[in-house]
């Protein structure tokens, strides 16, 4: 009986040694098991460097987002814009010359601007515009405008839309703007009106199409109520004239 008791005590004393499990041994066994599973099912077992991809897969499976709509959110505060357009003769007042009026024809404008994104919907911009006016049935006569303007723009849709932990970028955003311009104009030739001009109000309505994360195209209609010294040659000083343009420009965010 004494021998049996000693044997039981010895077994109990050695049990912790057998029960203790090696951490390194456990890791090794798990690793070997993953290798076996990977070999059996032809699966590469790699570390998950981007845990957020799991959430992305969930959104894709339920049809919330598409891979082509997913982009990294790039917070930009400023942009530059440059482009040009043509004058809408039918929506622009006619120039007077020798008692007759002549419609704008073949007239064009160029524009360059610097803007700030104030929020997801509001931005402001300063710009310079240079315009050249020619007129139908009036040869060798033209007018030139140079103006500096300040605009406040309102986007009708948020550029970036977040769904859970996934950010989508809208590629089409309509907008409107209102502001004022100041500058100088000259109707070249004898008795041509020239002098200081105020474009107030200056209003735009258009849309932006993003080509990349940072580069897009703006296409807009621009209306200007020009307050100046007449519109044409030999006309009375002072007055208000309406000028309309279609302008396309590249916008680069940075």
């Amino acid at each position: 009986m004494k021998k049996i008791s000693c044997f039981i005590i010895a077994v109990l004393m050695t049990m912790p040694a057998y029960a203790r499990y090696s951490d390194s041994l456990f890791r090794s066994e798990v690793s070997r098991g993953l290798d076996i599973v990977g070999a059996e099912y032809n699966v590469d077992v790699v570390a998950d460097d981007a845990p957020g991809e799991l959430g992305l897969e969930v959104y894709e499976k339920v049809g919330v987002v598409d891979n082509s709509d997913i982009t990294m959110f790039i917070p930009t505060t400023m942009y530059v814009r440059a482009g040009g357009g043509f004058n809408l003769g039918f929506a622009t007042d006619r120039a007077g010359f020798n008692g007759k009026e002549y419609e704008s024809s073949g007239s064009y404008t160029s524009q360059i601007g610097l803007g700030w994104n104030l929020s997801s919907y509001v931005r402001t911009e300063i710009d310079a515009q240079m315009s050249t006016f020619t007129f139908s049935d009036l040869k060798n006569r033209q007018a030139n405008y140079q103006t500096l303007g300040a605009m406040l723009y309102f986007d009708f849709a948020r550029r970036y839309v977040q769904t859970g932990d996934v950010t989508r970028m809208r590629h089409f955003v309509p907008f409107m703007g209102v502001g004022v311009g100041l500058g100088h104009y000259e109707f070249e030739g004898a008795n041509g009106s020239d002098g200081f001009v105020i474009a107030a109000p200056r209003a735009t309505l258009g849309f932006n199409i993003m080509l990349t994360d940072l580069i897009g195209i703006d296409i807009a209609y621009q209306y200007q109520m020009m307050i100046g010294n007449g519109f044409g040659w030999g006309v009375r000083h002072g007055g208000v004239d309406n000028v309309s343009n279609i302008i396309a420009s590249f916008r680069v965010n940075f």
Side-chain angles (χ1 to χ4, degrees), residues 79 81 117 119-123 153-161 168-177 204-213 215-221 249 251 253:
Y79 64 87
R81 191 159 61 85
N117 296 312
S119 73
S120 298
Y121 297 97
V122 181
R123 52 192 171 87
Y153 288 98
F154 302 91
D155 293 332
F156 294 150
R158 184 188 291 270
R159 171 67 60 195
Y160 296 97
V161 181
R168 291 188 300 115
M169 181 181 70
R170 282 197 176 97
H171 294 275
F172 179 86
V173 175
F175 63 83
M176 66 172 292
T204 63
L205 182 65
F207 57 87
N208 168 254
I209 299 175
M210 293 301 293
L211 305 177
T212 69
D213 288 348
I215 300 175
I217 296 177
D218 289 348
I219 299 177
Y221 163 77
S249 57
R251 192 199 307 182
N253 297 273

Side-chain angles (χ1 to χ4, degrees), residues 146-189:
Q146 299 87 31
T147 59
L148 292 175
M151 297 288 294
L152 187 64
Y153 288 98
F154 302 91
D155 293 332
F156 294 150
R158 184 188 291 270
R159 171 67 60 195
Y160 296 97
V161 181
Q162 190 167 0
T163 304
D165 57 354
V166 177
T167 301
R168 291 188 300 115
M169 181 181 70
R170 282 197 176 97
H171 294 275
F172 179 86
V173 175
F175 63 83
M176 66 172 292
V178 62
V180 62
L182 306 172
H184 178 271
Y185 71 108
E186 177 184 4
F187 283 79
E188 298 179 350

Side-chain angles (χ1 to χ4, degrees), residues 3-55:
K3 292 181 178 181
I4 294 175
S5 299
C6 292
F7 175 75
I8 293 174
I9 293 173
V11 170
L12 292 174
M13 292 179 64
T14 57
M15 281 184 65
Y18 290 104
R20 186 175 57 195
Y21 204 87
S22 169
D23 181 67
S24 61
L25 180 60
F26 173 75
R27 292 176 179 270
S28 176
E29 289 179 357
V30 172
S31 178
R32 288 199 304 272
L34 290 176
D35 290 340
I36 293 172
V37 172
E40 182 178 352
Y41 294 98
N42 192 26
V43 176
D44 292 332
V45 180
V46 297
D48 187 3
D49 293 328
E53 291 296 321
L54 177 60

